[in-house]
Amino acid sequence: WALYTDSPLRAAPDFSKELGACPPLGFWDPLGLSAYSDPEFADSQFRRRRVVELQHGRVSMFACLGYIVPEYFRWPGFCSPSEGVKFADLPNGFAAAAKIPGLGVLQILAFVGTIEIFNLQSTPGKYAGDYEGYGAFGLPGGKPIADVAKKEKSLLAEINNGRLAMMAIMGMWFQNGLTGSAWGDWALYTDSPLRAAPDFSKE
């Protein structure tokens, strides 16, 4: 059957009706990254990339919350009782990385690694990123959405919100790195090349 290369069953898959292909751009692939000569391989690559997109979107949404929430709320008590580090002592943004105890960093890496290795290596269900044992918002032990129409609407919203969050967290990182805060005053970025003194000698 592999020799019957002109089979209509080998037509390129139509991704324009997949979740995430929505107005105003529809299925947007200007570089043709989803185009492969083998339709089955093209479909598998699309599924894999959609899973990766969803995972990055979910992490980005949590990352945005990680920037926003500490601006208004801090847990009481100690982050590290043994080292006397209180939650209130931790700055927001990049500056917190230098304040978190080494064991705390290891705990974070161990938790993320455990989820990635033992939970997210299974094959997703009908929908990309829909793993057994994970419910709404991709949370472990979360309750799944039974209604198909509601589930697809929620998954589409998750994809779009994840895309927005990926752009948002990059903006926060740049703002944080340049001004010292995710919503810092741009006037604090005194080294900006845009602030170079104007040359009036040629006026």
Side-chain angles (χ1 to χ4, degrees), residues 52-69:
V52 171
E53 179 187 27
L54 275 166
Q55 290 179 352
H56 287 154
R58 289 168 178 171
V59 170
S60 296
M61 286 188 277
F62 279 116
C64 288
L65 287 175
Y67 261 105
I68 296 170
V69 173

Side-chain angles (χ1 to χ4, degrees), residues 12 58 62 75-76 125 142 145 150 154 159-160 163 176 198:
R58 289 168 178 171
F62 279 116
W75 291 107
I145 301 175
K150 183 178 179 182
S154 298
I159 292 171
N160 288 327
R163 290 168 176 170
N176 191 172

Side-chain angles (χ1 to χ4, degrees), residues 68-139:
I68 296 170
V69 173
E71 291 288 329
Y72 303 98
F73 172 80
R74 297 295 178 97
W75 291 107
F78 289 86
C79 171
S80 175
S82 61
E83 298 192 22
V85 179
K86 296 181 179 180
F87 286 106
D89 297 333
L90 296 176
N92 200 5
F94 290 155
K99 300 291 185 180
I100 300 175
L103 287 177
V105 175
L106 288 177
Q107 288 175 359
I108 294 172
L109 294 177
F111 172 75
V112 173
T114 300
I115 294 294
E116 181 70 26
I117 295 172
F118 295 103
N119 295 83
L120 300 183
Q121 295 301 314
S122 59
T123 303
K126 177 182 177 181
Y127 302 98
D130 191 7
Y131 295 97
E132 184 178 354
Y134 289 75
F137 306 108
L139 295 175

Side-chain angles (χ1 to χ4, degrees), residues 63-64 66-68 70-71 74 91-98 167-186 188-189:
C64 288
Y67 261 105
I68 296 170
E71 291 288 329
R74 297 295 178 97
N92 200 5
F94 290 155
M167 299 300 293
I169 195 61
M170 285 192 289
M172 290 180 185
W173 283 342
F174 273 98
Q175 190 86 338
N176 191 172
L178 296 175
T179 69
S181 170
W183 8 84
D185 187 349
W186 194 251
L188 298 176
Y189 181 29

Side-chain angles (χ1 to χ4, degrees), residues 8-63:
L9 298 177
R10 298 185 188 280
D14 181 11
F15 299 128
S16 64
K17 298 178 182 179
E18 294 286 341
L19 286 174
C22 52
L25 296 177
F27 178 61
W28 194 64
D29 183 19
L31 299 180
L33 298 177
S34 63
Y36 292 93
S37 58
D38 184 344
E40 291 185 5
F41 184 74
D43 186 71
S44 67
Q45 286 299 297
F46 176 84
R47 304 292 169 194
R48 185 186 70 82
R49 289 169 180 167
R50 176 51 51 81
V51 168
V52 171
E53 179 187 27
L54 275 166
Q55 290 179 352
H56 287 154
R58 289 168 178 171
V59 170
S60 296
M61 286 188 277
F62 279 116

